[in-house]
Amino acid sequence: MTSEETPADAHRTTTQERGPFCTATCLCGWRGPARRARSKARSDAAEHLRDTEAEPRTRS
């Protein structure tokens, strides 16, 4: 993360479809499991964001 990025910028999720599967991904490199239900992939992304908000933030 550069000094110009905020912690929120480091975690921005999207979903990607490949055939019958949908996968949630994040700018930080996290990737959720392939799901048949888009709603489950979105839930995975929301859970990832909640988990990252709960992590203590350290500065380098």
Side-chain angles (χ1 to χ4, degrees):
M1 179 167 30
T2 67
S3 60
E4 296 170 3
E5 292 176 328
T6 64
D9 291 335
H11 295 284
R12 184 169 300 155
T13 58
T14 60
T15 56
Q16 299 173 337
E17 293 187 34
R18 180 172 275 176
F21 295 98
C22 188
T23 303
T25 58
C26 182
L27 289 177
C28 74
W30 173 86
R31 183 181 182 119
R35 305 287 192 175
R36 287 193 182 269
R38 287 184 200 107
S39 60
K40 184 59 179 157
R42 287 191 296 266
S43 295
D44 292 339
E47 184 177 340
H48 168 69
L49 292 176
R50 279 192 305 272
D51 290 348
T52 59
E53 288 174 357
E55 291 176 359
R57 295 195 176 137
T58 59
R59 294 189 178 213
S60 333

